[in-house]
Amino acid sequence: MLAWMEDCILFEYDATDFENVVGELTPSRFEDLSCTKLSTNVFKIEYSWIDPIRMRDKIISRDQKSVTMWIFCSEKIVSCFGNSESAISYAINSLSEKSSIVFKRINTYEYWSRVFNHSNGWFADLISVHVKKSPSAFDEREILNISIKDISEDKLREFFVQDLVTNLTFTYQKTIFHLDLASVISFSDTVKEQEIFQVVNKIAGEFRNYHD
């Protein structure tokens, strides 16, 4: 099971034998690290740790945190799932320090934007955009969710030019997922793990093909 499917961030890495490198790591007494092979070129890391909560330099409680990573060896891409960006950053930094593997965060939003602007097509269909607006007496909302079906392509591009878009919503084989400006990919808690895997696997493959 995924640690939590709220946030997913992609990273590139530079290791040539990632699985063996990680498999040889010895976690500390406050950590747990396990590797599972999912297929010939994909394996999963489950990493958890105890995060002490301090008050005035005194530990008042301990909070267990965890992340799940899918390692796409052919693409040299890691998809990291966690319940917050800070947890994901901690896990990636900790793994880097232990293994000397260098990770580089992928700007998935910028990658999609380049594909969109060059009209090369993407594997998923854009179905709506969240757009910033100025609240009024008639509508106090600061963010509007606008269906692509309700606007022209010129209007959509205008939103991007004016930096009004905050979030994109896509569908792929009936699976809905979101991508925000910080390149965080998210899914609802009703989406099955296999469906999430198909989406992330597709993004990793297309990103690598686009940049090779």
Side-chain angles (χ1 to χ4, degrees):
M1 293 296 293
L2 299 179
W4 182 247
M5 54 186 66
E6 183 67 21
D7 292 336
C8 173
I9 299 175
L10 303 184
F11 299 84
E12 297 179 272
Y13 66 87
D14 65 348
T16 57
D17 196 8
F18 194 113
E19 185 177 6
N20 288 336
V21 171
V22 174
E24 294 174 355
L25 298 180
T26 302
S28 72
R29 57 179 295 196
F30 297 111
E31 298 175 316
D32 186 55
L33 179 67
S34 64
C35 298
T36 306
K37 202 170 189 65
L38 300 181
S39 67
T40 303
N41 294 310
V42 182
F43 68 97
K44 177 171 67 174
I45 294 176
E46 293 180 298
Y47 175 51
S48 61
W49 67 96
I50 301 297
D51 189 19
I53 299 176
R54 299 176 180 273
M55 180 177 290
R56 296 177 181 176
D57 295 328
K58 182 179 180 181
I59 297 176
I60 59 174
S61 66
R62 297 183 183 275
D63 183 25
Q64 181 167 345
K65 296 185 177 181
S66 60
V67 300
T68 299
M69 303 179 194
W70 287 332
I71 317 302
F72 299 93
C73 300
S74 297
E75 293 79 13
K76 289 191 174 182
I77 289 177
V78 177
S79 61
C80 193
F81 295 85
N83 61 5
S84 68
E85 287 192 61
S86 62
I88 291 174
S89 295
Y90 177 89
I92 285 292
N93 290 336
S94 179
L95 192 59
S96 179
E97 291 175 1
K98 296 176 186 297
S99 65
S100 297
I101 296 173
V102 176
F103 296 93
K104 179 183 177 182
R105 181 166 172 162
I106 293 175
N107 191 334
T108 309
Y109 182 90
E110 181 184 22
Y111 151 59
W112 176 85
S113 179
R114 290 181 181 179
V115 172
F116 172 75
N117 288 324
H118 287 85
S119 301
N120 292 333
W122 205 36
F123 74 97
D125 296 321
L126 181 65
I127 57 175
S128 69
V129 292
H130 283 75
V131 178
K132 292 180 289 187
K133 64 176 289 291
S134 299
S136 67
F138 303 100
D139 189 347
E140 297 181 351
R141 292 176 294 175
E142 296 182 359
I143 302 292
L144 290 179
N145 186 14
I146 301 176
S147 172
I148 296 302
K149 296 185 296 184
D150 297 334
I151 55 175
S152 66
E153 184 172 336
D154 288 341
K155 186 63 175 178
L156 176 61
R157 290 185 181 277
E158 183 180 323
F159 288 148
F160 287 107
V161 170
Q162 296 177 355
D163 291 327
L164 298 177
V165 176
T166 63
N167 200 298
L168 308 172
T169 301
F170 299 91
T171 181
Y172 173 67
Q173 296 183 353
K174 298 183 178 180
T175 300
I176 294 175
F177 64 99
H178 312 278
L179 174 64
D180 69 17
L181 293 178
S183 293
V184 177
I185 305 164
S186 58
F187 302 83
S188 72
D189 56 9
T190 59
V191 179
K192 296 179 181 179
E193 184 170 329
Q194 182 58 34
E195 295 171 330
I196 296 174
F197 181 86
Q198 290 175 349
V199 169
V200 176
N201 185 31
K202 195 72 175 178
I203 294 175
E206 291 210 353
F207 174 85
R208 182 54 65 216
N209 289 335
Y210 185 84
H211 285 78
D212 283 348

